[in-house]
Amino acid sequence: MDLMLDIETLGSAPDSVILTIAACAFDPFSGTIYDKHAMYRRIDTECQDDRSIDDLTVEWWAKQSLEAQEEAFGEHDRIPLEDALQELSNLIWKSNITWANGISFDITILENAFKSYGMRLPWQYYNVLDARTVYRMNPDHERLGNSHHAFEDVILQISLLQRTFKKLGIKNL
């Protein structure tokens, strides 16, 4: 069982404020998605005063759909970042590979967050893979879009990865 993750933030620096975290377990070859091993958490930004906010990213969010803005910034159902990281950590420890769209954004920001709370990283560096690179190996590469809702994006990323493996005839890593 592998895990795909995605975050939404207020910047691209390693210490950026995290708005949402999503992750879902899946089998990259069978098309299976394990809903019982999934999480989506909206993070309390008030408890992240030691993390940074990028003005250009705030301006970018202001240009997104009202639905995306409400999901990213609405005040309901927010939890402390440390709690979300603990939940994410529990999922990652149960997985084989942790996937993200690129390893220099989501992974870097999450690593910084784990370290800021003195938490052990829940992955080995050699078990973190970049899904975006895999997509681009597909001669019929398609872009699925990005809703800026972290859980919707995780499901899209899983689908694209699974289709790419199927198209290329990859049955194991």
Side-chain angles (χ1 to χ4, degrees):
M1 171 172 82
D2 289 4
L3 192 78
M4 182 71 72
L5 59 85
D6 188 68
I7 61 175
E8 298 298 333
T9 66
L10 284 178
S12 58
D15 67 340
S16 293
V17 167
I18 299 173
L19 299 170
T20 59
I21 299 174
C24 188
F26 69 105
D27 181 316
F29 309 106
S30 72
T32 303
I33 295 176
Y34 302 105
D35 291 335
K36 69 178 184 174
H37 298 289
M39 74 169 275
Y40 175 69
R41 296 293 176 258
R42 301 172 79 233
I43 311 303
D44 181 2
T45 57
E46 299 292 319
C47 70
Q48 299 182 63
D49 50 353
D50 59 332
R51 302 188 67 77
S52 68
I53 295 174
D54 176 65
D55 292 338
L56 292 176
T57 303
V58 173
E59 290 175 24
W60 176 87
W61 273 109
K63 296 174 187 170
Q64 301 310 302
S65 72
L66 292 177
E67 182 180 64
Q69 289 179 39
E70 175 57 30
E71 189 56 38
F73 297 101
E75 293 185 19
H76 64 284
D77 298 326
R78 298 239 173 235
I79 68 169
L81 178 57
E82 185 174 16
D83 293 353
L85 293 173
Q86 185 59 56
E87 185 178 352
L88 178 62
S89 181
N90 292 339
L91 275 178
I92 292 171
W93 281 118
K94 296 174 188 172
S95 67
N96 299 317
I97 301 293
T98 300
W99 294 88
N101 257 358
I103 54 172
S104 64
F105 182 77
D106 305 81
I107 298 299
T108 301
I109 293 170
L110 287 169
E111 282 183 357
N112 180 281
F114 280 113
K115 289 176 183 176
S116 74
Y117 286 101
M119 299 171 77
R120 181 175 171 205
L121 293 180
W123 52 68
Q124 299 294 327
Y125 68 90
Y126 49 82
N127 285 334
V128 177
L129 297 180
D130 175 14
R132 186 179 292 127
T133 299
V134 175
Y135 313 152
R136 291 189 179 164
M137 292 178 188
N138 185 346
D140 301 324
H141 172 66
E142 58 184 290
R143 178 130 168 89
L144 288 178
N146 190 336
S147 70
H148 306 301
H149 182 296
F151 194 75
E152 290 175 6
D153 292 344
V154 159
I155 299 303
L156 290 171
Q157 290 163 203
I158 289 171
S159 176
L160 189 51
L161 185 69
Q162 290 171 329
R163 285 190 279 176
T164 300
F165 282 156
K166 184 176 180 179
K167 173 75 176 180
L168 298 176
I170 297 171
K171 298 187 188 308
N172 60 49
L173 294 176

